Amino acid sequence: MSKSVLIYKSFERFWHWMQALLIFFLAATGFEIHGTYSFFGFENAVTYHNIAAYAFIILIIFAVFWHFTTGEWKQYIPTFTHIKAQLNYYLFGIFKNASHPTKKSVLSKLNPLQKLVYFGLKILVIPVMVISGLLYMFYRYPQNQTVASINIDSLEIIAIVHTAGAILLAAFIVTHLYLITTGTTATSNLKAMLTGYEEIEHDDEIEHDEEETEKENSKTLSSKI
Ligand code: HEM
């Protein structure tokens, strides 16, 4: 039996789509600045990239606040349990119509691979992009040549780090777009992020199982103490 469950709350959907839009726009303007192609013109690309960067930083501040006040940050704690099963599914099982190795629920909406990748993005790639981007800005504009207070006297390392992060994010976007189509149906994941709701199999049982496991764990723990 399946039922329609609210998986993604309204702020979460707003944050997800704004982030998608901004990262896409930052990549588009960033690679023009890099010299990969010409569309807006270099000067415009720089102006637009800076505006989008500030909007992205504001969005990040709200998102961090939301993740901590709602406790949703816990969804992203990486786990290595079932990670092999999840990898096997994406590499082989998916082509043989195998069932998903992990089930989505309100309490656990990300599979182990998503947890790991999103955690890496949140604590490593995005902060690196923001910090290297800000260093790039402040290297260029106020001091005009150096960020003297932290001994940065060349743009080279900052540019390499920022560009490498941008390539990583572009690779993530491509993979993400493919993986979106691998839900219960080809559009179920996309629909869930648009409407918030998804048809979940046996959600009650999963939540019940998780409660039971938690109870068992605390029993084992207290008997050990
Ligand atoms: C808050 C976040 C960010 C800030 C503050 C920022 C800032 C900057 C700045 C100041 C530049 C140099 C512009 C110039 O030459 O005048 C730049 C370049 C660039 N940015 Fe960003 N950026 C951010 C996020 C991103 C993201 C998310 C991406 C890609 C997904 C990206 C991709 C690029 C690329 C490819 C370049 C050209 C690098 C080069 O060729 O050296 N940026 N960014």
Side-chain angles (χ1 to χ4, degrees):
M1 212 184 72
S2 69
K3 64 174 182 179
S4 190
V5 179
L6 180 69
I7 294 279
Y8 303 113
K9 297 172 188 90
S10 48
F11 176 81
E12 193 169 18
R13 281 176 279 142
F14 164 77
W15 159 67
H16 172 271
W17 289 115
M18 279 305 288
Q19 174 169 263
L21 199 80
L22 286 170
I23 291 184
F24 190 78
F25 190 69
L26 282 161
T29 47
F31 283 108
E32 175 156 9
I33 296 167
H34 188 69
T36 312
Y37 57 85
S38 178
F39 181 71
F40 295 112
F42 182 81
E43 302 256 304
N44 287 336
V46 171
T47 310
Y48 299 156
H49 195 81
N50 285 349
I51 295 169
Y54 282 123
F56 191 37
I57 291 171
I58 293 169
L59 184 70
I60 290 172
I61 294 169
F62 279 101
V64 168
F65 182 76
W66 179 83
H67 276 82
F68 283 105
T69 50
T70 57
E72 285 287 322
W73 63 273
K74 292 182 196 140
Q75 297 266 359
Y76 298 84
I77 300 171
T79 161
F80 288 97
T81 319
H82 302 311
I83 202 140
K84 211 171 146 216
Q86 194 67 44
L87 260 175
N88 266 332
Y89 172 74
Y90 284 133
L91 292 175
F92 310 108
I94 200 167
F95 303 109
K96 296 185 204 150
N97 238 355
S99 60
H100 281 263
T102 51
K103 297 269 175 276
K104 212 182 253 189
S105 74
V106 181
L107 294 178
S108 176
K109 59 189 167 207
L110 304 174
N111 73 45
L113 260 185
Q114 286 177 311
K115 281 182 201 259
L116 200 67
V117 172
Y118 297 168
F119 183 75
L121 285 178
K122 277 172 193 280
I123 69 143
L124 193 70
V125 183
I126 304 278
V128 162
M129 288 310 279
V130 173
I131 293 166
S132 58
L134 287 174
L135 287 174
Y136 218 142
M137 262 182 204
F138 291 108
Y139 173 87
R140 281 246 147 146
Y141 307 115
Q143 283 106 330
N144 226 4
Q145 239 141 56
T146 57
V147 184
S149 54
I150 47 171
N151 280 337
I152 290 181
D153 53 12
S154 153
L155 203 60
E156 205 180 336
I157 295 284
I158 300 171
I160 291 172
V161 169
H162 200 72
T163 309
I167 293 169
L168 213 65
L169 275 174
F172 166 77
I173 293 170
V174 174
T175 320
H176 191 63
L177 289 177
Y178 161 63
L179 290 178
I180 282 172
T181 64
T182 65
T184 318
T185 68
T187 54
S188 60
N189 284 341
L190 178 65
K191 264 192 215 147
M193 196 45 96
L194 286 169
T195 64
Y197 285 88
E198 188 167 349
E199 291 290 320
I200 298 283
E201 292 277 326
H202 307 296
D203 199 45
D204 282 345
E205 280 175 30
I206 293 163
E207 284 182 30
H208 180 71
D209 280 355
E210 283 179 0
E211 271 172 30
E212 288 297 308
T213 321
E214 241 169 58
K215 269 185 210 156
E216 271 169 28
N217 285 348
S218 57
K219 259 191 217 159
T220 327
L221 202 68
S222 54
S223 67
K224 276 186 183 157
I225 295 166

